[in-house]
Amino acid sequence: MNAKLVIAGLAGVCLTVGNAAAQQSPTRMGGLMVSAFVGGSANSDLQRSGARAEWLARDGPESRQFARRLTAETAGVVGLSAAYWFNPYWGVRTQAAFTPSRLEIAVSQRETHDIPIDAEVTGPSRYGAFRVWTYDANLLFRAPVTPRGRVALYGFVGGGVVKYEVSVEQGLPPEAVQAFADQESKTQPVGVLGIGAMVPLHRKSLGLSFELSDHISRTPVQGSPESSIVGVNRVQVTTGEETGPSRVQLINHVRILVGLTWRAR
């Protein structure tokens, strides 16, 4: 009888120690987590427009059709987030970030190789500031695997708002003039999805976070009215709104982030 009590007591101690060790695992999600992060971002095309270039060559007038792509250049990202894990598998998070980009026009070199060189009309050319602010809330879920026992994998999905700001003083491409003619900013809903990983550091309350995310929203540039541009080399370009499948409705704001995370223990 005494032997059975001893064995039961040892089993209880082992179970308690095992549970305590699991609770103290550095990859276990739980409680409050605050992160500061930096990284880079890339945007899909804000809008596309058809264009025709006309110029005077030695043999007479010449013309060429091509496509102009209004986009935002690749830029850095800074931001903050605060998350709370209700248990090791589910949590919620709020996040705010800022991307200081610029508007630019890009064209295909294959389509414009025989047009006289003129960045004013055929690009690529950079314009005024295009600042992207995002504020979103996410549902977090922990992946059921822990590579090497040191990497906590998770995913997230959510939504919020995105604010696009432009600098009118620094100039706008003709494709963006109508969209931002009456105001220098636009705010609209955004959907968010992504994956991440956290690696605990030697100090149990700190960790490194890595994330890949996509913010999806309607393009702030819905229309591109016909306009004419005359370059320094006497190349005139007439642009007009693209129709059909080439017209942009939704845009992607993709980020790769690295952050330092503090965890309340």
Side-chain angles (χ1 to χ4, degrees), residues 42-44 46 70-74 101-104 130:
N43 290 272
S44 60
L46 302 177
L70 173 64
T71 185
E73 67 179 7
T74 301
S101 185
R102 299 180 70 90
L103 289 173
E104 65 179 12
F130 182 71

Short mmCIF file of all heavy atoms in Angstrom, two decimals, residues 42-44 46 70-74 101-104 130:
data_model
loop_
_atom_site.label_atom_id
_atom_site.label_comp_id
_atom_site.label_asym_id
_atom_site.label_seq_id
_atom_site.Cartn_x
_atom_site.Cartn_y
_atom_site.Cartn_z
N ALA A 42 6.28 46.55 -50.86
CA ALA A 42 6.14 46.68 -52.31
C ALA A 42 4.65 46.74 -52.63
O ALA A 42 3.84 46.11 -51.96
CB ALA A 42 6.80 45.52 -53.03
N ASN A 43 4.31 47.51 -53.66
CA ASN A 43 2.91 47.67 -54.06
C ASN A 43 2.68 47.16 -55.46
O ASN A 43 3.56 47.26 -56.33
CB ASN A 43 2.51 49.15 -54.02
CG ASN A 43 2.42 49.70 -52.62
OD1 ASN A 43 1.39 49.62 -51.96
ND2 ASN A 43 3.52 50.26 -52.15
N SER A 44 1.50 46.61 -55.67
CA SER A 44 1.09 46.31 -57.04
C SER A 44 0.68 47.61 -57.72
O SER A 44 0.62 48.67 -57.10
CB SER A 44 -0.06 45.31 -57.04
OG SER A 44 -1.18 45.83 -56.34
N LEU A 46 -1.16 50.76 -59.01
CA LEU A 46 -2.33 51.51 -58.57
C LEU A 46 -3.34 51.67 -59.70
O LEU A 46 -4.55 51.70 -59.46
CB LEU A 46 -1.91 52.89 -58.05
CG LEU A 46 -0.90 52.90 -56.90
CD1 LEU A 46 -0.53 54.33 -56.54
CD2 LEU A 46 -1.48 52.18 -55.69
N LEU A 70 0.92 53.25 -63.23
CA LEU A 70 1.06 54.11 -62.06
C LEU A 70 1.24 53.21 -60.84
O LEU A 70 0.40 52.35 -60.55
CB LEU A 70 -0.18 54.98 -61.88
CG LEU A 70 -0.25 55.82 -60.60
CD1 LEU A 70 0.87 56.85 -60.57
CD2 LEU A 70 -1.61 56.47 -60.47
N THR A 71 2.34 53.38 -60.11
CA THR A 71 2.62 52.54 -58.96
C THR A 71 3.33 53.35 -57.90
O THR A 71 3.55 54.56 -58.07
CB THR A 71 3.46 51.32 -59.39
OG1 THR A 71 3.62 50.43 -58.27
CG2 THR A 71 4.82 51.74 -59.90
N ALA A 72 3.67 52.70 -56.80
CA ALA A 72 4.44 53.32 -55.72
C ALA A 72 5.75 52.57 -55.59
O ALA A 72 5.78 51.33 -55.65
CB ALA A 72 3.67 53.27 -54.40
N GLU A 73 6.84 53.30 -55.43
CA GLU A 73 8.13 52.65 -55.37
C GLU A 73 8.29 51.85 -54.08
O GLU A 73 7.64 52.12 -53.07
CB GLU A 73 9.26 53.68 -55.48
CG GLU A 73 9.36 54.64 -54.31
CD GLU A 73 10.51 55.62 -54.46
OE1 GLU A 73 11.13 55.64 -55.53
OE2 GLU A 73 10.77 56.37 -53.51
N THR A 74 9.17 50.85 -54.14
CA THR A 74 9.48 50.05 -52.96
C THR A 74 10.05 50.95 -51.86
O THR A 74 10.88 51.82 -52.13
CB THR A 74 10.50 48.95 -53.31
OG1 THR A 74 9.94 48.12 -54.34
CG2 THR A 74 10.84 48.10 -52.12
N SER A 101 6.52 56.22 -49.13
CA SER A 101 6.86 55.88 -50.51
C SER A 101 6.72 57.10 -51.42
O SER A 101 6.48 58.22 -50.95
CB SER A 101 5.97 54.74 -50.99
OG SER A 101 6.33 54.30 -52.28
N ARG A 102 6.83 56.88 -52.72
CA ARG A 102 6.64 57.94 -53.73
C ARG A 102 5.91 57.34 -54.92
O ARG A 102 6.05 56.15 -55.23
CB ARG A 102 7.99 58.50 -54.20
CG ARG A 102 8.84 59.14 -53.13
CD ARG A 102 10.14 59.66 -53.71
NE ARG A 102 9.93 60.81 -54.57
CZ ARG A 102 9.93 62.07 -54.14
NH1 ARG A 102 10.12 62.34 -52.86
NH2 ARG A 102 9.74 63.07 -54.96
N LEU A 103 5.13 58.18 -55.58
CA LEU A 103 4.47 57.76 -56.82
C LEU A 103 5.49 57.70 -57.95
O LEU A 103 6.43 58.49 -57.99
CB LEU A 103 3.35 58.73 -57.19
CG LEU A 103 2.09 58.70 -56.31
CD1 LEU A 103 1.16 59.83 -56.71
CD2 LEU A 103 1.38 57.36 -56.43
N GLU A 104 5.28 56.77 -58.86
CA GLU A 104 6.14 56.69 -60.03
C GLU A 104 5.38 56.10 -61.21
O GLU A 104 4.37 55.40 -61.03
CB GLU A 104 7.40 55.88 -59.74
CG GLU A 104 7.16 54.42 -59.45
CD GLU A 104 8.46 53.67 -59.20
OE1 GLU A 104 9.49 54.32 -59.04
OE2 GLU A 104 8.42 52.42 -59.17
N PHE A 130 4.10 59.56 -51.56
CA PHE A 130 2.90 58.72 -51.46
C PHE A 130 3.04 57.95 -50.15
O PHE A 130 3.73 56.94 -50.07
CB PHE A 130 2.82 57.77 -52.65
CG PHE A 130 1.59 56.89 -52.65
CD1 PHE A 130 0.34 57.44 -52.90
CD2 PHE A 130 1.68 55.53 -52.42
CE1 PHE A 130 -0.80 56.64 -52.92
CE2 PHE A 130 0.56 54.72 -52.43
CZ PHE A 130 -0.69 55.28 -52.68
#
